[in-house]
Amino acid sequence: MASYARRILSRMTMANPPSRNASTFAGTRILAARGRPSPPEVIEEEIPTSGISRPLAEVLRELSKRVPESVIKVRVEDGTEVKYVPWHIVNRIMNMQAPEWSGEVRSITYSADGKSVSVIYRVTLYGTDAEIYRESTGTASVDDTSYGDPVQKAEAMAFRRACARLGLGLHLYHEDLA
């Protein structure tokens, strides 16, 4: 299985050779989009394929590293700029830095007036010595379809926040305090 992953990775690397503007995040090379509208690609040099491979403290230390500016997006909500990392990039980083993670939607709840939906999401990390989970919520207006389906938007928000509680991208929540 490991050789299969390396062959696939080798093909990806040949198709997208590293550029001078590649940045490193915890041993992961994240390539800038080079003028293309598609998101940056994340390429791992060695992909763990099975088993719990590291102590939980080491996994948490890797997840707590700053996310490169190249993957951070900005959107405006109620006149305020909000920085975030798209859910698919968070998912990719989790797969590479904590391959033993799991996630699940714990509940989907519509408000009494039916104007908003809230999702509770749980992310669990497994290490050689322990496991830990964090939950968080995401809420979206049912009328707001600017970023897709409201339930999907609330789920993505809850997922990102649960990962932040484990350290991934947490610096984005307190940048202004520094």
Side-chain angles (χ1 to χ4, degrees), residues 6-46:
R6 284 191 191 96
R7 277 193 315 235
I8 296 298
L9 186 59
S10 172
R11 287 185 202 140
M12 288 174 57
T13 306
M14 285 188 284
N16 298 298
S19 64
R20 277 185 251 141
N21 58 355
S23 59
T24 301
F25 174 73
T28 303
R29 213 173 326 134
I30 300 175
L31 303 180
R34 290 193 213 125
R36 294 184 302 247
S38 61
E41 294 187 35
V42 179
I43 299 175
E44 177 65 20
E45 292 174 9
E46 186 166 325

Side-chain angles (χ1 to χ4, degrees), residues 16-153:
N16 298 298
S19 64
R20 277 185 251 141
N21 58 355
S23 59
T24 301
F25 174 73
T28 303
R29 213 173 326 134
I30 300 175
L31 303 180
R34 290 193 213 125
R36 294 184 302 247
S38 61
E41 294 187 35
V42 179
I43 299 175
E44 177 65 20
E45 292 174 9
E46 186 166 325
I47 300 172
T49 55
S50 65
I52 298 172
S53 59
R54 298 182 290 170
L56 190 57
E58 188 178 321
V59 173
L60 291 171
R61 190 172 27 258
E62 290 297 315
L63 289 176
S64 294
K65 293 183 177 181
R66 291 182 73 88
V67 176
E69 288 292 322
S70 63
V71 299
I72 297 172
K73 303 292 181 195
V74 179
R75 72 171 173 264
V76 178
E77 286 187 5
D78 300 325
T80 304
E81 285 189 354
V82 178
K83 289 184 175 183
Y84 70 101
V85 180
W87 73 268
H88 57 92
I89 300 291
V90 171
N91 189 79
R92 204 101 189 253
I93 293 169
M94 291 292 288
N95 287 342
M96 291 185 192
Q97 300 305 327
E100 300 84 14
W101 77 279
S102 67
E104 65 179 298
V105 172
R106 303 287 288 167
S107 73
I108 299 173
T109 308
Y110 286 86
S111 63
D113 61 6
K115 292 185 178 182
S116 65
V117 60
S118 295
V119 172
I120 298 175
Y121 198 92
R122 176 184 284 185
V123 173
T124 305
L125 296 180
Y126 304 93
T128 55
D129 55 347
E131 67 182 62
I132 187 173
Y133 70 86
R134 294 292 182 259
E135 289 182 347
S136 195
T137 60
T139 302
S141 169
V142 173
D143 297 330
D144 180 13
T145 56
S146 61
Y147 293 102
D149 178 77
V151 175
Q152 290 174 337
K153 181 180 178 182

